[in-house]
């Protein structure tokens, strides 16, 4: 055995003894191992009751106690119409074909659509109208816009308020759901000629307007959007 081998062996023994003195001895001050079961019990339960599945939905494995009585059919359309009315029966028929239908959500969306359509018509925005109207209604609106353009007229419309959007009709026609809403609004509207003179309406008078519009949607279609299929006015 040569001198270098003896030196390496001595170094190995020395390093082993140093490591043992640092890592292999207990001093009595070590922290006990973390007890996951004890910690879970301290937080109020010996076992997890929930399973978390992607993407983050919590599924309770234990049966849930009922929190409220199921909504009675007679209360389904409370605030919208009375039980047994034609409107209630129409809403029932629509829900039977489309279980995701929510008339309150629809009314909220219809308010926005009403304002968009009125302003798009006033501005001659055919692109916006095409997405919101049925082909028949679009043709009627487009004809009125063309008449203004031929006469070199422009319409200025401004909403003051939409005071009411009330559901007044609902029915299923084959696979198509139809809903009719009465809108009560206040707006300022004036049509001017090429010289800027007002030929219809008023630039400073607030008018009370009541429109009755019908929207429709094919319940078998993946397209969730409703389109305007009929217009009327109570003024």
């Amino acid at each position: 055995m040569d001198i270098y081998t003896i030196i390496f062996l001595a170094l190995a023994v020395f390093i082993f003894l140093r490591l043992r003195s640092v890592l292999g001895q207990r001093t009595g001050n070590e922290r006990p191992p973390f007890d996951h079961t004890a910690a879970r019990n301290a937080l109020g339960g010996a076992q997890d009751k929930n399973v978390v599945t992607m993407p983050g939905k919590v599924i309770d494995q234990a049966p849930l106690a009922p929190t409220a009585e199921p909504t009675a059919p007679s209360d389904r359309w409370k605030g919208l119409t009375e039980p047994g009315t034609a409107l209630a029966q129409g809403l029932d028929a629509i829900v039977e074909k489309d279980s995701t239908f929510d008339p309150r959500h629809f009314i909220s969306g219809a308010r926005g659509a009403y304002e968009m359509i009125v302003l798009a018509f006033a501005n001659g925005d055919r692109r916006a109208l095409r997405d919101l109207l049925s082909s028949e209604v679009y043709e009627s609106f487009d004809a009125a816009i063309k008449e203004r353009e031929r006469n070199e007229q422009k319409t200025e419309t401004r909403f003051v308020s939409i005071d009411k959007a009330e559901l007044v009709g609902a029915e299923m026609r084959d696979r198509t759901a139809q809903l009719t809403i009465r809108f009560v609004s206040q707006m300022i509207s004036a049509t001017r000629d090429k010289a800027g003179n007002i030929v219809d309406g008023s630039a400073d008078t607030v008018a009370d307007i009541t429109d009755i519009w019908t929207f429709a949607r094919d319940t078998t279609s993946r397209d969730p959007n409703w389109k305007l299929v009929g217009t009327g006015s109570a003024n």
Side-chain angles (χ1 to χ4, degrees):
M1 183 177 294
D2 59 89
I3 186 63
Y4 294 107
T5 302
I6 294 173
I7 291 173
F8 283 129
L9 288 173
L11 286 172
V13 170
F14 174 77
I15 293 171
F16 172 77
L17 292 175
R18 291 288 297 173
L19 288 173
R20 185 175 182 276
S21 67
V22 174
L23 302 176
Q25 297 180 359
R26 291 186 177 273
T27 65
N29 295 321
E30 293 83 8
R31 295 175 63 183
F34 182 75
D35 188 340
H36 291 275
T37 302
R40 193 161 55 237
N41 290 341
L43 292 174
Q47 62 182 357
D48 293 331
K49 292 184 179 180
N50 294 328
V51 176
V52 180
T53 60
M54 295 299 292
K57 181 181 178 181
V58 179
I59 302 176
D60 195 339
Q61 300 300 303
L64 295 175
T67 57
E69 292 295 327
T71 302
S74 60
D75 295 334
R76 174 184 280 181
W77 312 125
K78 187 175 182 180
L80 296 174
T81 186
E82 296 297 323
T85 61
L87 177 56
Q89 293 171 3
L91 292 174
D92 287 337
I94 293 174
V95 169
E96 186 176 345
K97 295 293 184 181
D98 180 5
S99 61
T100 65
F101 171 67
D102 181 349
R104 295 170 181 84
H105 178 72
F106 169 81
I107 292 172
S108 176
R111 289 174 67 98
Y114 174 64
E115 184 171 356
M116 288 177 61
I117 292 170
V118 169
L119 295 179
F121 173 68
N123 296 328
D125 188 347
R126 291 179 171 88
R127 183 176 180 179
L129 292 172
R130 195 180 297 277
D131 293 334
L132 297 167
L133 313 180
S134 69
S135 58
E136 294 82 1
V137 175
Y138 175 80
E139 289 175 3
S140 176
F141 277 45
D142 182 52
I145 293 172
K146 288 178 179 177
E147 181 67 19
R148 285 204 314 252
E149 291 172 342
R150 279 194 297 268
N151 295 327
E152 297 183 314
Q153 297 175 345
K154 290 186 177 180
T155 298
E156 303 166 353
T157 299
R158 179 167 59 89
F159 272 91
V160 176
S161 64
I162 299 178
D163 300 322
K164 182 182 293 186
E166 179 186 12
L167 194 61
V168 295
E171 65 175 322
M172 282 296 305
R173 292 189 174 182
D174 296 326
R175 63 186 188 183
T176 300
Q178 291 195 352
L179 293 167
T180 300
I181 291 189
R182 179 189 292 116
F183 296 100
V184 179
S185 64
Q186 293 185 324
M187 64 180 75
I188 298 172
S189 184
T191 300
R192 299 178 183 271
D193 62 17
K194 184 179 180 180
N197 300 312
I198 295 177
V199 296
D200 187 36
S202 172
D204 51 22
T205 300
V206 178
D208 296 320
I209 306 295
T210 299
D211 286 313
I212 301 173
W213 285 11
T214 299
F215 297 84
R217 175 182 174 271
D218 184 346
T219 57
T220 64
S221 172
R222 293 184 178 181
D223 185 356
N225 296 316
W226 296 73
K227 290 194 173 184
L228 180 64
V229 298
T231 63
S233 177
N235 295 91

